[in-house]
Amino acid sequence: KRAVKGTARSDKKLTEYGKQLLEKQRLRAYYGVMEKQFVNYFLEAKKSKEQTGPALVKILESRLDNMTYRMGFASSIRQARQMVTHGHMLVNGKKVDIPSYRLSVGDQVALAPRGKKVDLFKDNYETNFVTSYPYISKDKDLKATFSAEINREDIPVEIEDQLIVEFYSKNM
């Protein structure tokens, strides 16, 4: 027996709206951000002087949970988010346990003393030591600095920002 054609989602041709929605959902899922917070980030990006799409991705990229992951303290964004929530991360020497905390250029992120006791975090950092981004500089002693402005092309997220901007332009 053959399956009836057109029943699988993958068989269907996506509409323009469908493509925009999918792209928005992909970006949201990648950074693990809820819809309401994502909308707020979009509105903030819209007000910024640069293009809305790249500005949105930069805002998401500078979140503490994401930077903890990019700096190599965690092996996934989810793990990084949990590390932050459980108080294992210091920003400029102060404990910050808010995953959405926004880092600024010059901020230093380090493992808290209790985080340094966890071998997994140290192993992650040493394993991912070479994996580096132009906007992050890392030290050997479990510290990393958000050292430069982020350029959209340096962010390894394969997303068509423009589709998200179009999605919200029509649906707000």
Side-chain angles (χ1 to χ4, degrees):
K1 282 185 168 185
R2 238 172 29 127
V4 182
K5 188 142 177 60
T7 52
R9 243 188 198 165
S10 57
D11 291 350
K12 293 192 169 66
K13 193 94 173 89
L14 274 178
T15 61
E16 204 45 48
Y17 173 81
K19 286 180 199 158
Q20 293 165 355
L21 176 65
L22 194 66
E23 212 54 7
K24 173 188 74 88
Q25 299 295 51
R26 279 182 55 215
L27 187 63
R28 258 192 55 213
Y30 181 85
Y31 286 103
V33 175
M34 293 307 222
E35 181 65 27
K36 187 173 181 175
Q37 197 171 26
F38 194 82
V39 168
N40 290 338
Y41 287 146
F42 176 80
L43 293 171
E44 184 182 332
K46 201 172 165 186
K47 287 179 194 152
S48 81
K49 290 180 178 69
E50 52 187 323
Q51 282 187 300
T52 308
L56 174 63
V57 179
K58 286 179 188 180
I59 288 170
L60 290 164
E61 190 67 15
S62 62
R63 286 169 49 102
L64 179 58
D65 55 355
N66 179 66
M67 286 301 243
T68 299
Y69 166 62
R70 292 272 188 251
M71 290 169 167
F73 291 109
S75 53
S76 69
I77 290 184
R78 283 194 158 163
Q79 186 183 49
R81 182 185 200 95
Q82 190 169 27
M83 286 172 72
V84 173
T85 312
H86 289 209
H88 292 296
M89 303 312 296
L90 300 175
V91 176
N92 299 328
K94 291 186 179 71
K95 184 176 98 174
V96 177
D97 56 8
I98 300 160
S100 62
Y101 179 86
R102 191 97 48 84
L103 293 175
S104 311
V105 174
D107 283 350
Q108 188 181 61
V109 178
L111 271 175
R114 56 189 237 121
K116 287 182 180 169
K117 292 178 188 146
V118 183
D119 290 335
L120 175 69
F121 302 160
K122 289 189 285 197
D123 294 346
N124 281 343
Y125 192 75
E126 280 146 26
T127 310
N128 303 324
F129 196 80
V130 207
T131 318
S132 177
Y133 300 90
Y135 47 90
I136 295 173
S137 57
K138 294 168 75 166
D139 304 341
K140 288 275 183 218
D141 57 343
L142 301 171
K143 283 189 183 104
T145 307
F146 181 14
S147 56
E149 244 352 281
I150 300 174
N151 292 320
R152 175 60 183 102
E153 49 283 355
D154 297 332
I155 303 171
V157 181
E158 301 289 321
I159 287 284
E160 289 181 53
D161 320 345
Q162 196 47 44
L163 291 176
I164 299 166
V165 175
E166 289 167 13
F167 174 84
Y168 279 119
S169 302
K170 282 188 210 129
N171 298 299
M172 286 189 113

